[in-house]
Amino acid sequence: QLAQNAGAVFSNNSWGGIGNGPYTAASAEFDALVRDSDPGEPGNQQISYFFCAGNEGPDVGTTRAQASAKNVVSAGAHENSDADGVDGSGFLPTHADNIRDISPGSSRGPTADGRLGVTVVATGTHVQGAASTADGYTGAHVSDKYWPTNQTDYCRSSGTSFSCPTACGAGVIIYEMFRDQLVAFGHTDSPSPALIRAVLTNTATDLAGGSDGNGGVLANIPNVHQGWGAVNLETLASMKTSLYSVDQTEVFTASGQEFEVVLSPMIAGYSLKVTLAWTDVPGIPGAAKELVNDLDLRVIQDGKAVQTFKGNVFSSGFSEPGGNLDRKNTLEAVYIENPTGGPVTVRVTAFNIAGDGMPNTGGALDQDFALFVWNAGEPSSTGDVRIFPVDVNCDATVTFNLRDKDLAGDDT
């Protein structure tokens, strides 16, 4: 409450919890705080909470309690690439020689009720920063070690306590980008924690092919080792004129209600990525399933054959038709590797509205959501031209994409 009153909208938490993927009273408390950090103040005072996943790897099912909350961002760790020396955590050069490898110490999912557990990963080995200047500090605290040697200004260490601030900082940059371009993105308010989660995961990089930190090869996203991949703001910046989003402006008040929008892929030759996220009602500690308000994502692609993709049904890092709807996670995604170029229908359905997802406003049963789409936009009768990439040199290949709803299907 004090932080929110002082203007905070993000909170990095590089500290652990108990157990192996449990949903505890603390998990429920932070799920509530994401939506409203000051219940005594009218409306919802939202804060994006980031928690380090923990340092209990390489075993699965080791995400710590607060990082097992539904509405927070749980940050795991991938390796650095300096490959020299040993840091204060005892991580060797081989633990910091490939940014595609998951750190062997990084905790991973699933949670006790089967959710993904890790949201994203960021650099978490041989992380260097300013050394403490406190009296008595020796460069041997919090697993630190002065580095380089023969100086006392800098130290480095390893762990998800160090990857989490990177993920949180990326969230802040996303927040600033959307806040500063509200009109361009069709919003009238600052971006919600749900939208931050959607953008952060949608634009992450799949580390498939690297090491899983336990002697195996890392599989494609999504998985319990890397979540939705490594934080990568370049993915967002490269396509920032070809984005679509809805941010908590649509509200479901009963099961069975739907929101639907028809979009067009923007830049040929690139995948189309759709992510749905929502800030759910806090769960019941120890329950078999913690999800309360359950939403479903479907993307229907027109073409020679109509295909329907369900949220979180993936194969080799991209969506495939068929499969079962997700009944556990508060984040669902559809990534179409080779969109046909024709329109796609994005549909969000309220499968089950069983709680008050928007306290201090509305009725006893309600739930809003955030929707983020990369490389798509709404068809317009005005017509527009998109140029990709935004920054080019003299030898670059430039793509021009003309879209006009009145000319759709016209081959001239």
Side-chain angles (χ1 to χ4, degrees), residues 121-207:
V121 293
T123 306
T125 64
H126 288 200
V127 178
Q128 189 157 343
S132 173
T133 58
D135 291 341
Y137 179 78
T138 64
H141 296 65
V142 201
S143 301
D144 292 348
K145 185 176 183 180
Y146 286 128
W147 189 267
T149 57
N150 302 318
Q151 57 82 45
T152 58
D153 293 326
Y154 302 97
C155 61
R156 70 178 184 182
S157 187
S158 297
T160 58
S161 286
F162 305 96
S163 60
C164 192
T166 299
C168 186
V172 172
I173 292 174
I174 293 169
Y175 179 92
E176 291 181 343
M177 173 181 163
F178 275 77
R179 183 198 60 193
D180 294 344
Q181 300 186 50
L182 288 175
V183 175
F185 293 125
H187 304 307
T188 58
D189 202 357
S190 297
S192 70
L195 183 61
I196 298 301
R197 279 196 299 138
V199 177
L200 199 65
T201 53
N202 183 292
T203 57
T205 293
D206 189 352
L207 300 182

XYZ file of all heavy atoms in Angstrom, residues 121-207:
638
model
N 12.313 -16.592 -18.774
C 13.661 -16.682 -18.214
C 14.487 -15.483 -18.666
O 14.182 -14.858 -19.684
C 14.367 -17.998 -18.613
C 13.688 -19.202 -17.965
C 14.405 -18.158 -20.132
N 15.521 -15.173 -17.897
C 16.468 -14.107 -18.251
C 17.837 -14.522 -17.735
O 17.974 -15.516 -17.003
C 16.033 -12.767 -17.650
N 18.871 -13.762 -18.086
C 20.237 -14.115 -17.699
C 20.369 -14.219 -16.189
O 20.034 -13.286 -15.463
C 21.236 -13.069 -18.223
O 21.063 -12.922 -19.633
C 22.657 -13.494 -17.926
N 20.879 -15.367 -15.717
C 20.958 -15.591 -14.282
C 22.229 -16.274 -13.806
O 22.259 -16.804 -12.690
N 23.290 -16.306 -14.622
C 24.589 -16.794 -14.139
C 25.650 -15.751 -14.435
O 25.582 -15.037 -15.437
C 24.985 -18.139 -14.800
O 25.162 -17.951 -16.213
C 23.934 -19.203 -14.552
N 26.633 -15.672 -13.545
C 27.731 -14.700 -13.682
C 27.193 -13.293 -13.950
O 27.704 -12.568 -14.809
C 28.697 -15.125 -14.787
C 29.550 -16.314 -14.416
N 30.723 -16.618 -15.060
C 29.414 -17.263 -13.461
C 31.254 -17.712 -14.537
N 30.461 -18.122 -13.557
N 26.164 -12.905 -13.228
C 25.578 -11.575 -13.385
C 26.397 -10.582 -12.577
O 26.601 -10.759 -11.381
C 24.114 -11.555 -12.924
C 23.533 -10.156 -13.048
C 23.292 -12.542 -13.751
N 26.864 -9.542 -13.227
C 27.776 -8.589 -12.594
C 27.068 -7.278 -12.285
O 26.199 -6.830 -13.030
C 28.964 -8.312 -13.517
C 30.072 -7.495 -12.850
C 31.400 -7.709 -13.528
O 31.588 -8.657 -14.267
N 32.347 -6.827 -13.265
N 27.434 -6.685 -11.161
C 26.849 -5.411 -10.781
C 27.700 -4.710 -9.756
O 28.770 -5.199 -9.361
N 27.230 -3.555 -9.307
C 27.979 -2.780 -8.325
C 28.023 -3.507 -6.984
O 27.020 -4.058 -6.531
C 27.345 -1.408 -8.149
N 29.182 -3.506 -6.354
C 29.328 -4.120 -5.034
C 28.768 -3.187 -3.965
O 28.755 -1.969 -4.117
C 30.793 -4.419 -4.754
N 28.296 -3.771 -2.882
C 27.795 -2.981 -1.762
C 28.928 -2.162 -1.140
O 30.079 -2.595 -1.087
C 27.198 -3.898 -0.703
O 26.861 -3.167 0.454
N 28.576 -0.983 -0.666
C 29.559 -0.130 0.036
C 29.290 -0.109 1.534
O 29.863 0.701 2.260
C 29.495 1.305 -0.511
O 28.164 1.809 -0.356
C 29.879 1.340 -1.984
N 28.434 -1.005 2.020
C 28.117 -1.044 3.453
C 29.327 -1.492 4.269
O 30.142 -2.308 3.806
C 26.945 -1.984 3.703
N 29.432 -0.972 5.477
C 30.508 -1.390 6.372
C 30.409 -2.893 6.632
O 29.335 -3.433 6.893
C 30.416 -0.638 7.707
C 30.740 0.839 7.576
O 31.374 1.210 6.562
O 30.345 1.620 8.463
N 31.537 -3.557 6.561
C 31.583 -4.986 6.825
C 31.353 -5.860 5.620
O 31.509 -7.083 5.707
N 30.979 -5.260 4.480
C 30.767 -6.058 3.281
C 32.104 -6.542 2.746
O 33.057 -5.758 2.622
C 30.042 -5.243 2.215
C 29.803 -5.993 0.924
C 28.762 -6.919 0.823
C 30.621 -5.791 -0.177
C 28.550 -7.619 -0.348
C 30.409 -6.492 -1.358
C 29.375 -7.398 -1.432
O 29.172 -8.099 -2.591
N 32.192 -7.849 2.440
C 33.470 -8.448 2.042
C 33.451 -9.035 0.631
O 34.427 -9.651 0.217
C 33.848 -9.564 3.019
O 32.873 -10.620 2.928
C 33.910 -9.037 4.448
N 32.355 -8.857 -0.081
C 32.271 -9.496 -1.381
C 31.920 -10.969 -1.265
O 32.107 -11.740 -2.202
N 31.421 -11.388 -0.123
C 31.066 -12.787 0.098
C 29.668 -12.905 0.696
O 29.367 -13.832 1.430
C 32.083 -13.441 1.019
N 28.819 -11.950 0.394
C 27.447 -11.970 0.870
C 26.496 -12.258 -0.291
O 26.803 -11.950 -1.460
C 27.071 -10.626 1.497
C 27.854 -10.281 2.719
N 29.214 -10.042 2.684
C 27.476 -10.156 4.022
C 29.634 -9.758 3.900
N 28.602 -9.826 4.740
N 25.355 -12.860 0.009
C 24.355 -13.195 -1.001
C 25.024 -13.932 -2.177
O 24.713 -13.702 -3.333
C 23.611 -11.940 -1.517
C 22.273 -12.309 -2.146
C 23.365 -10.958 -0.392
N 25.956 -14.803 -1.831
C 26.712 -15.584 -2.823
C 27.533 -14.701 -3.758
O 27.887 -15.128 -4.859
C 25.775 -16.488 -3.635
O 25.080 -17.373 -2.789
N 27.840 -13.474 -3.333
C 28.623 -12.576 -4.189
C 30.105 -12.952 -4.180
O 30.588 -13.680 -3.327
C 28.515 -11.123 -3.701
C 27.111 -10.565 -3.888
O 26.328 -11.211 -4.585
O 26.832 -9.506 -3.337
N 30.793 -12.378 -5.148
C 32.251 -12.476 -5.195
C 32.755 -11.308 -6.018
O 32.232 -11.030 -7.098
C 32.694 -13.799 -5.850
C 34.195 -14.030 -5.817
C 34.519 -15.410 -6.386
C 36.013 -15.712 -6.302
N 36.312 -17.056 -6.851
N 33.749 -10.588 -5.462
C 34.305 -9.475 -6.234
C 34.801 -9.981 -7.585
O 35.501 -10.994 -7.673
C 35.473 -8.830 -5.466
C 35.049 -7.994 -4.280
C 35.615 -8.205 -3.023
C 34.092 -6.986 -4.422
C 35.240 -7.433 -1.932
C 33.719 -6.213 -3.337
C 34.288 -6.437 -2.092
O 33.912 -5.674 -1.019
N 34.451 -9.247 -8.626
C 34.884 -9.621 -9.981
C 34.870 -8.389 -10.854
O 33.880 -7.668 -10.842
C 33.953 -10.685 -10.585
C 34.498 -11.224 -11.874
C 34.221 -10.791 -13.142
C 35.433 -12.277 -12.021
N 34.906 -11.502 -14.059
C 35.675 -12.432 -13.406
C 36.117 -13.109 -11.134
C 36.546 -13.384 -13.913
C 36.984 -14.057 -11.646
C 37.191 -14.187 -13.014
N 35.955 -8.114 -11.604
C 37.210 -8.855 -11.653
C 37.947 -8.830 -10.307
O 37.594 -8.079 -9.411
C 38.016 -8.094 -12.730
C 37.004 -7.313 -13.499
C 35.935 -6.962 -12.521
N 38.963 -9.630 -10.214
C 39.754 -9.682 -8.988
C 40.557 -8.394 -8.823
O 40.675 -7.587 -9.742
C 40.702 -10.884 -9.020
O 41.542 -10.791 -10.187
C 39.917 -12.199 -9.066
N 41.079 -8.194 -7.628
C 41.936 -7.042 -7.306
C 41.189 -5.712 -7.380
O 41.763 -4.680 -7.721
C 43.171 -6.998 -8.234
C 43.987 -8.270 -8.147
O 44.204 -8.796 -7.048
N 44.433 -8.762 -9.287
N 39.871 -5.732 -7.086
C 39.088 -4.502 -6.983
C 37.901 -4.788 -6.078
O 37.561 -5.944 -5.817
C 38.645 -3.994 -8.355
C 37.839 -4.974 -9.184
C 36.374 -5.000 -8.825
O 35.750 -3.966 -8.651
N 35.806 -6.195 -8.682
N 37.270 -3.732 -5.603
C 36.139 -3.898 -4.678
C 34.910 -3.093 -5.115
O 34.004 -2.854 -4.315
C 36.542 -3.473 -3.255
O 36.974 -2.101 -3.280
C 37.650 -4.364 -2.707
N 34.870 -2.690 -6.375
C 33.740 -1.891 -6.873
C 32.632 -2.745 -7.483
O 31.472 -2.327 -7.518
C 34.224 -0.889 -7.925
C 35.129 0.171 -7.330
O 34.896 0.552 -6.173
O 36.069 0.615 -8.029
N 32.990 -3.926 -7.971
C 32.025 -4.772 -8.673
C 32.088 -6.199 -8.150
O 33.145 -6.673 -7.715
C 32.292 -4.772 -10.186
C 32.253 -3.394 -10.791
C 33.421 -2.666 -10.999
C 31.036 -2.821 -11.156
C 33.384 -1.397 -11.545
C 30.988 -1.551 -11.707
C 32.165 -0.843 -11.894
O 32.119 0.416 -12.431
N 30.959 -6.860 -8.218
C 30.903 -8.268 -7.849
C 29.934 -8.976 -8.788
O 29.226 -8.341 -9.574
C 30.450 -8.435 -6.400
S 28.801 -7.761 -6.082
N 29.891 -10.295 -8.714
C 28.947 -11.031 -9.534
C 28.497 -12.292 -8.810
O 29.135 -12.765 -7.870
C 29.541 -11.373 -10.895
C 30.636 -12.408 -10.889
C 31.094 -12.686 -12.316
N 32.079 -13.752 -12.345
C 32.677 -14.171 -13.458
N 32.408 -13.590 -14.616
N 33.538 -15.158 -13.423
N 27.373 -12.806 -9.266
C 26.782 -13.973 -8.643
C 25.834 -14.632 -9.625
O 25.694 -14.188 -10.768
C 26.052 -13.568 -7.357
O 25.621 -14.714 -6.659
N 25.189 -15.701 -9.175
C 24.250 -16.433 -10.020
C 22.986 -16.754 -9.244
O 23.008 -16.864 -8.019
C 24.883 -17.748 -10.513
O 26.014 -17.498 -11.319
N 21.891 -16.890 -9.964
C 20.628 -17.261 -9.347
C 19.465 -16.521 -9.973
O 19.634 -15.517 -10.682
N 18.262 -16.999 -9.707
C 17.082 -16.341 -10.249
C 16.810 -15.002 -9.565
O 16.030 -14.195 -10.081
C 15.837 -17.245 -10.127
O 15.630 -17.596 -8.760
C 16.010 -18.514 -10.949
N 17.480 -14.748 -8.431
C 17.389 -13.412 -7.821
C 17.957 -12.345 -8.745
O 17.631 -11.159 -8.602
C 18.144 -13.377 -6.489
O 17.430 -14.062 -5.489
N 18.806 -12.762 -9.679
C 19.451 -11.816 -10.588
C 18.784 -11.785 -11.959
O 18.851 -10.784 -12.667
C 20.944 -12.149 -10.701
C 21.617 -12.176 -9.360
C 21.794 -13.371 -8.673
C 22.016 -11.000 -8.747
C 22.383 -13.392 -7.425
C 22.605 -11.011 -7.489
C 22.786 -12.214 -6.821
N 18.130 -12.878 -12.347
C 17.380 -12.864 -13.611
C 16.049 -12.133 -13.451
O 15.563 -11.500 -14.395
C 17.133 -14.297 -14.106
O 16.388 -15.053 -13.176
N 15.472 -12.198 -12.255
C 14.158 -11.590 -12.035
C 14.158 -10.074 -12.256
O 13.246 -9.556 -12.902
C 13.669 -11.930 -10.633
S 11.933 -11.540 -10.326
N 15.155 -9.310 -11.758
C 15.150 -7.868 -12.017
C 15.246 -7.525 -13.500
O 14.713 -6.499 -13.932
C 16.376 -7.360 -11.253
C 16.647 -8.392 -10.217
C 16.247 -9.692 -10.840
N 15.932 -8.370 -14.285
C 15.990 -8.127 -15.728
C 14.602 -8.266 -16.348
O 14.177 -7.435 -17.161
C 16.962 -9.106 -16.398
O 18.272 -8.912 -15.868
C 16.997 -8.898 -17.900
N 13.891 -9.316 -15.966
C 12.527 -9.498 -16.476
C 11.626 -8.353 -16.040
O 10.839 -7.830 -16.831
C 11.973 -10.841 -15.988
N 11.761 -7.931 -14.782
C 10.943 -6.833 -14.276
C 11.270 -5.530 -15.005
O 10.367 -4.772 -15.370
C 11.158 -6.676 -12.772
S 10.078 -5.469 -11.981
N 12.549 -5.280 -15.233
C 12.949 -4.079 -15.974
C 12.402 -4.072 -17.384
O 11.986 -3.026 -17.904
N 12.364 -5.255 -18.024
C 11.760 -5.350 -19.357
C 10.269 -5.024 -19.291
O 9.726 -4.345 -20.169
C 11.970 -6.755 -19.922
N 9.616 -5.474 -18.220
C 8.208 -5.139 -18.042
C 7.977 -3.650 -17.924
O 7.006 -3.111 -18.464
N 8.875 -2.965 -17.226
C 8.771 -1.514 -17.080
C 8.880 -0.830 -18.441
O 8.135 0.110 -18.746
C 9.861 -0.983 -16.119
C 9.887 0.539 -16.119
C 9.613 -1.502 -14.707
N 9.791 -1.300 -19.276
C 9.968 -0.704 -20.603
C 8.710 -0.928 -21.455
O 8.264 -0.030 -22.181
C 11.219 -1.279 -21.293
C 12.477 -0.797 -20.558
C 11.274 -0.863 -22.760
C 13.762 -1.415 -21.059
N 8.131 -2.130 -21.369
C 6.874 -2.393 -22.075
C 5.793 -1.438 -21.581
O 5.036 -0.851 -22.374
C 6.447 -3.856 -21.874
C 7.444 -4.796 -22.563
C 5.032 -4.090 -22.395
C 7.255 -6.258 -22.206
N 5.707 -1.273 -20.275
C 4.723 -0.364 -19.677
C 4.890 1.052 -20.230
O 3.917 1.698 -20.630
C 4.915 -0.370 -18.161
C 3.989 0.544 -17.386
C 2.782 0.073 -16.892
C 4.343 1.867 -17.137
C 1.928 0.906 -16.168
C 3.499 2.711 -16.422
C 2.301 2.225 -15.945
O 1.462 3.058 -15.234
N 6.136 1.526 -20.262
C 6.393 2.890 -20.743
C 6.054 3.032 -22.224
O 5.501 4.043 -22.659
C 7.851 3.264 -20.491
C 8.173 3.441 -19.011
C 9.619 3.841 -18.775
O 10.450 3.673 -19.696
O 9.917 4.305 -17.668
N 6.364 1.999 -23.005
C 6.076 2.053 -24.438
C 4.570 2.179 -24.676
O 4.117 3.024 -25.460
C 6.618 0.798 -25.124
C 6.225 0.660 -26.580
S 6.884 -0.860 -27.304
C 5.866 -1.004 -28.773
N 3.774 1.366 -23.982
C 2.327 1.415 -24.170
C 1.735 2.679 -23.560
O 0.821 3.281 -24.125
C 1.676 0.164 -23.572
C 1.668 -1.007 -24.508
C 2.820 -1.748 -24.720
C 0.528 -1.351 -25.203
C 2.833 -2.822 -25.587
C 0.523 -2.412 -26.082
C 1.675 -3.153 -26.279
N 2.242 3.092 -22.421
C 1.725 4.310 -21.792
C 1.980 5.529 -22.653
O 1.121 6.415 -22.777
C 2.388 4.503 -20.422
C 1.886 5.705 -19.638
C 2.856 6.061 -18.549
N 4.164 6.403 -19.095
C 5.273 6.507 -18.369
N 5.225 6.294 -17.076
N 6.415 6.819 -18.935
N 3.150 5.577 -23.284
C 3.513 6.737 -24.088
C 2.854 6.728 -25.467
O 2.889 7.738 -26.167
C 5.041 6.806 -24.242
C 5.740 7.060 -22.920
O 5.054 7.481 -21.969
O 6.958 6.816 -22.825
N 2.291 5.590 -25.864
C 1.639 5.508 -27.175
C 0.211 4.981 -27.024
O -0.250 4.158 -27.803
C 2.442 4.590 -28.108
C 3.874 5.075 -28.335
C 4.602 4.235 -29.369
O 4.105 4.000 -30.455
N 5.791 3.776 -29.021
N -0.481 5.486 -26.012
C -1.821 4.989 -25.705
C -2.768 5.126 -26.890
O -3.534 4.215 -27.202
C -2.389 5.734 -24.490
C -1.761 5.377 -23.145
C -2.324 6.272 -22.053
C -2.022 3.921 -22.799
N -2.728 6.269 -27.557
C -3.638 6.488 -28.680
C -3.321 5.521 -29.812
O -4.221 4.911 -30.407
C -3.550 7.947 -29.168
C -4.407 8.128 -30.415
C -3.998 8.907 -28.069
N -2.042 5.337 -30.089
C -1.635 4.435 -31.170
C -2.090 3.013 -30.904
O -2.440 2.273 -31.822
C -0.118 4.484 -31.345
N -2.088 2.608 -29.619
C -2.482 1.241 -29.283
C -3.951 1.137 -28.886
O -4.418 0.094 -28.450
C -1.594 0.705 -28.158
C -0.156 0.516 -28.571
C 0.864 1.121 -27.864
C 0.174 -0.254 -29.668
C 2.191 0.955 -28.238
C 1.489 -0.424 -30.056
C 2.501 0.177 -29.344
N -4.685 2.222 -29.019
C -6.115 2.181 -28.778
C -6.518 2.138 -27.327
O -7.591 1.629 -26.990
N -5.695 2.667 -26.416
C -6.001 2.625 -24.999
C -6.172 4.032 -24.439
O -5.713 5.013 -25.018
C -4.885 1.915 -24.219
C -4.606 0.532 -24.706
N -5.588 -0.418 -24.831
C -3.448 -0.066 -25.102
C -5.050 -1.538 -25.283
N -3.766 -1.347 -25.461
N -6.830 4.102 -23.301
C -7.015 5.383 -22.620
C -6.435 5.361 -21.221
O -6.557 6.330 -20.489
C -8.510 5.729 -22.531
O -9.196 4.676 -21.838
C -9.118 5.888 -23.918
N -5.804 4.253 -20.825
C -5.259 4.128 -19.485
C -3.919 3.405 -19.569
O -3.567 2.830 -20.591
C -6.234 3.361 -18.591
C -6.006 3.647 -17.118
O -5.056 4.393 -16.808
O -6.773 3.126 -16.295
N -3.177 3.413 -18.471
C -1.883 2.741 -18.448
C -2.067 1.233 -18.567
O -3.083 0.684 -18.137
C -1.147 3.080 -17.142
O -0.875 4.461 -17.074
N -1.095 0.540 -19.152
C -1.237 -0.902 -19.370
C -1.339 -1.680 -18.065
O -0.682 -1.365 -17.085
C 0.032 -1.269 -20.150
C 0.991 -0.162 -19.883
C 0.174 1.065 -19.699
N -2.157 -2.707 -18.070
C -2.421 -3.511 -16.879
C -1.346 -4.567 -16.679
O -0.603 -4.918 -17.607
C -3.770 -4.205 -17.026
O -3.701 -5.215 -18.031
N -1.242 -5.143 -15.469
C -0.324 -6.273 -15.253
C -0.624 -7.443 -16.181
O 0.299 -8.154 -16.596
C -0.571 -6.633 -13.786
C -0.991 -5.353 -13.148
C -1.830 -4.671 -14.200
N -1.894 -7.651 -16.513
C -2.238 -8.741 -17.429
C -1.643 -8.492 -18.816
O -1.104 -9.409 -19.447
C -3.758 -8.893 -17.524
N -1.725 -7.242 -19.295
C -1.144 -6.936 -20.606
C 0.377 -7.063 -20.565
O 0.988 -7.545 -21.530
C -1.546 -5.526 -21.057
C -1.059 -5.134 -22.453
C -1.623 -6.062 -23.521
C -1.412 -3.685 -22.776
N 1.008 -6.653 -19.470
C 2.461 -6.796 -19.357
C 2.855 -8.263 -19.480
O 3.796 -8.612 -20.195
C 2.958 -6.219 -18.011
C 2.649 -4.727 -17.907
C 4.457 -6.473 -17.849
C 3.255 -3.871 -18.985
N 2.135 -9.147 -18.802
C 2.430 -10.589 -18.907
C 2.238 -11.081 -20.336
O 3.038 -11.887 -20.843
C 1.526 -11.389 -17.954
C 1.992 -11.423 -16.524
C 1.292 -12.539 -15.751
N -0.139 -12.352 -15.713
C -1.029 -13.342 -15.882
N -0.629 -14.569 -16.145
N -2.324 -13.087 -15.810
N 1.164 -10.626 -20.981
C 0.886 -11.074 -22.339
C 1.991 -10.646 -23.300
O 2.464 -11.448 -24.116
C -0.467 -10.526 -22.802
N 2.421 -9.384 -23.223
C 3.457 -8.878 -24.137
C 4.799 -9.541 -23.846
O 5.541 -9.940 -24.759
C 3.569 -7.347 -24.026
C 4.695 -6.829 -24.917
C 2.252 -6.678 -24.399
N 5.144 -9.668 -22.568
C 6.441 -10.228 -22.181
C 6.598 -11.659 -22.688
O 7.667 -12.043 -23.185
C 6.578 -10.190 -20.660
C 7.968 -10.305 -20.058
C 8.835 -9.109 -20.446
C 7.867 -10.408 -18.532
N 5.538 -12.451 -22.582
C 5.619 -13.840 -23.032
C 5.500 -13.950 -24.546
O 6.204 -14.757 -25.173
C 4.518 -14.680 -22.365
O 3.237 -14.057 -22.573
C 4.762 -14.782 -20.865
N 4.642 -13.148 -25.153
C 4.428 -13.195 -26.595
C 5.698 -12.887 -27.364
O 5.954 -13.464 -28.434
C 3.314 -12.210 -26.960
C 2.949 -12.212 -28.423
O 3.727 -11.800 -29.267
N 1.730 -12.649 -28.728
N 6.518 -11.983 -26.845
C 7.715 -11.535 -27.571
C 8.994 -12.229 -27.105
O 10.085 -11.879 -27.559
C 7.880 -10.019 -27.416
O 7.947 -9.679 -26.026
C 6.713 -9.273 -28.049
N 8.878 -13.202 -26.205
C 10.063 -13.915 -25.721
C 10.636 -14.816 -26.814
O 9.948 -15.169 -27.780
C 9.707 -14.738 -24.484
N 11.888 -15.206 -26.654
C 12.585 -16.045 -27.629
C 12.663 -17.489 -27.144
O 13.098 -17.751 -26.013
C 14.012 -15.525 -27.872
O 13.939 -14.254 -28.526
C 14.811 -16.479 -28.748
N 12.246 -18.411 -27.978
C 12.312 -19.841 -27.683
C 13.778 -20.281 -27.659
O 14.509 -20.089 -28.633
C 11.532 -20.600 -28.754
C 11.340 -22.071 -28.430
O 11.935 -22.565 -27.448
O 10.589 -22.734 -29.167
N 14.223 -20.885 -26.557
C 15.611 -21.331 -26.421
C 15.778 -22.802 -26.783
O 16.795 -23.411 -26.435
C 16.104 -21.093 -24.991
C 16.094 -19.641 -24.504
C 16.659 -19.557 -23.092
C 16.884 -18.743 -25.444
